[in-house]
Amino acid sequence: MNHKWKRTMSVLLAMGTVALSIPAQGFAASVDTSEKVLSNLGITDSVLVGSNVEVTRGQFAQLLLNTSSFKGKAGTTVNYRRFSDVAADHTYATAINVATQQGWMTGYLDGTFKPDQPVKLREAVYGVLALLGYTNEDFTGDQTQGRMSMYYSKELDDGLALVSMESNLTMSNCKSLLYNTLKATNKSGSMYGQIFDCELDADGEINYLKLSDNNVNGPIEVTDSKDIGDILPFSEENATYIIDGEVGYNLDYNSVDVGDVVYYSSKTRTVWVYQDHRDSGEVTGIVYDNSSSMIPVAVYVDGTKYTIESEEMQYAFSTLGEVHVGDEITVVYDDESSTDDADSYNFVLKGYLLDD
């Protein structure tokens, strides 16, 4: 049986004239652009919490690292304790060290960082403005008030709906803030997201299709004839690994084995590895959006539901695509917490293998 990996984004772009015949609402993004951009860049993959779950200071340090030029360059091990309550093997130890060394976040006078304490809007604004190059010298008088004024003037508040500087941020808040930061100008006047090759479209949003086409390669299956080092165009020792949705700080590139499926981004030095998040079977059903018979929103493989969110997967499972009910396929998926209940997950289709 031959297995052939399909990257349907290239098919979608190649068949642009066909896609134009679809009604205007046909392939409008089913997921907010910010969600897709952040996922594409690997900014949120390593912090797996529900949209309404409060983000901790440790997790926010990781999000800041993922949104910086240090992504994929910070290493994965910590040999010393910078804070008394952050062990060297703490999940976010590397991110906390980098965030405090670079001045994006600060610890407490008693030598602690309080990594499990919810991050507040005041602290988050401090962090993203530091990413944009601003320091204490750029604000006179009340430092906090000065930063909040810039927070509003740069429209970093778009989508947050928070008015108190002491508000705890949820994951949804953090996603909006980080996406707005990518679109914002830094201290020197350049769009911050350019460090990841982001560009704005005519609507003032990050051009996801161009970013996706240029930024992520894959899926690629690891075979007997090639290992992860043969696949990546950068050092496998100097990358961030997201293995089945879990950041690979306590794992390493040697964990990637024959049969695994990988995607990678040269720009962010991120490698997404699918090991357990793979299932094979028959396509037993495709669910379409109620408002349009052209937009598939979920697929059932041997009775298991996988949500379809990306435009390339929408195309692949549409009537114009190549996957239909009755086909035998292998899917790779991300499982995202879909509610505040950590045990409740939504299987999101990432890619597929069509069995010829």
Side-chain angles (χ1 to χ4, degrees):
M1 180 180 294
N2 294 321
H3 298 300
K4 186 176 180 182
W5 281 103
K6 307 290 185 178
R7 189 179 184 208
T8 55
M9 175 61 77
S10 60
V11 177
L12 176 60
L13 295 177
M15 298 186 67
T17 55
V18 175
L20 289 176
S21 65
I22 298 172
Q25 76 275 20
F27 279 94
S30 60
V31 179
D32 186 76
T33 299
S34 62
E35 293 270 358
K36 297 190 293 183
V37 168
L38 295 178
S39 177
N40 183 290
L41 296 177
I43 288 175
T44 57
D45 285 358
S46 51
V47 182
L48 300 177
V49 298
S51 294
N52 296 321
V53 175
E54 291 182 347
V55 172
T56 67
R57 282 169 48 84
Q59 290 169 335
F60 193 72
Q62 182 68 61
L63 293 173
L64 288 175
L65 173 59
N66 292 349
T67 315
S68 76
S69 59
F70 286 85
K71 188 179 191 318
K73 305 175 186 176
T76 59
T77 59
V78 174
N79 298 318
Y80 65 95
R81 297 183 66 157
R82 187 176 181 87
F83 299 99
S84 61
D85 58 349
V86 181
D89 61 353
H90 189 283
T91 301
Y92 302 113
T94 296
I96 290 170
N97 278 7
V98 173
T100 52
Q101 288 170 353
Q102 296 303 312
W104 307 333
M105 300 182 75
T106 60
Y108 291 86
L109 294 178
D110 63 357
T112 63
F113 184 80
K114 303 188 189 310
D116 299 323
Q117 181 173 289
V119 66
K120 298 184 179 300
L121 177 61
R122 164 178 49 81
E123 298 169 319
V125 170
Y126 185 102
V128 296
L129 289 180
L131 283 183
L132 295 178
Y134 295 96
T135 64
N136 290 340
E137 289 69 33
D138 296 302
F139 305 95
T140 59
D142 187 327
Q143 290 278 321
T144 299
Q145 191 57 49
R147 284 183 168 82
M148 294 307 294
S149 295
M150 184 170 288
Y151 162 71
Y152 288 114
S153 67
K154 286 185 175 292
E155 299 183 347
L156 297 176
D157 63 316
D158 187 22
L160 272 76
L162 296 175
V163 295
S164 171
M165 293 181 290
E166 298 304 311
S167 296
N168 296 336
L169 268 64
T170 64
M171 189 58 174
S172 178
N173 297 148
C174 289
K175 287 179 179 180
S176 295
L177 179 61
L178 296 173
Y179 178 72
N180 295 339
T181 300
L182 291 172
K183 294 195 300 177
T185 54
N186 59 22
K187 185 177 178 180
S188 64
S190 302
M191 176 184 163
Y192 180 76
Q194 288 179 350
I195 67 171
F196 296 130
D197 292 334
C198 293
E199 296 181 6
L200 298 182
D201 60 22
D203 296 323
E205 303 299 330
I206 293 176
N207 190 325
Y208 170 71
L209 288 180
K210 184 172 183 180
L211 178 66
S212 179
D213 191 45
N214 293 338
N215 192 59
V216 177
N217 295 274
I220 302 169
E221 189 169 15
V222 181
T223 66
D224 290 324
S225 61
K226 59 185 177 183
D227 59 21
I228 191 66
D230 297 323
I231 294 172
L232 303 179
F234 48 87
S235 172
E236 64 268 31
E237 300 181 26
N238 192 23
T240 298
Y241 289 84
I242 309 296
I243 301 181
D244 287 332
E246 180 181 345
V247 66
Y249 286 146
N250 296 321
L251 304 167
D252 61 25
Y253 58 90
N254 292 317
S255 298
V256 182
D257 202 357
V258 172
D260 292 346
V261 179
V262 301
Y263 294 77
Y264 70 85
S265 165
S266 297
K267 188 64 178 179
T268 64
R269 291 186 175 87
T270 300
V271 184
W272 293 267
V273 184
Y274 293 85
Q275 295 178 330
D276 295 332
H277 288 190
R278 302 180 64 185
D279 280 317
S280 299
E282 180 183 342
V283 177
T284 53
I286 299 176
V287 182
Y288 291 86
D289 190 293
N290 289 333
S291 63
S292 173
S293 61
M294 296 295 295
I295 305 178
V297 294
V299 59
Y300 284 86
V301 177
D302 280 351
T304 300
K305 179 182 178 181
Y306 300 91
T307 301
I308 299 175
E309 294 185 348
S310 68
E311 291 176 356
E312 56 267 37
M313 289 299 103
Q314 286 177 344
Y315 183 84
F317 287 84
S318 73
T319 55
L320 296 176
E322 66 175 359
V323 186
H324 308 286
V325 173
D327 288 343
E328 294 286 335
I329 66 172
T330 298
V331 295
V332 292
Y333 61 90
D334 298 317
D335 60 350
E336 301 176 351
S337 179
S338 56
T339 68
D340 292 349
D341 182 355
D343 294 325
S344 179
Y345 290 94
N346 174 33
F347 296 155
V348 180
L349 185 67
K350 173 68 176 182
Y352 67 92
L353 176 70
L354 184 62
D355 297 343
D356 296 329

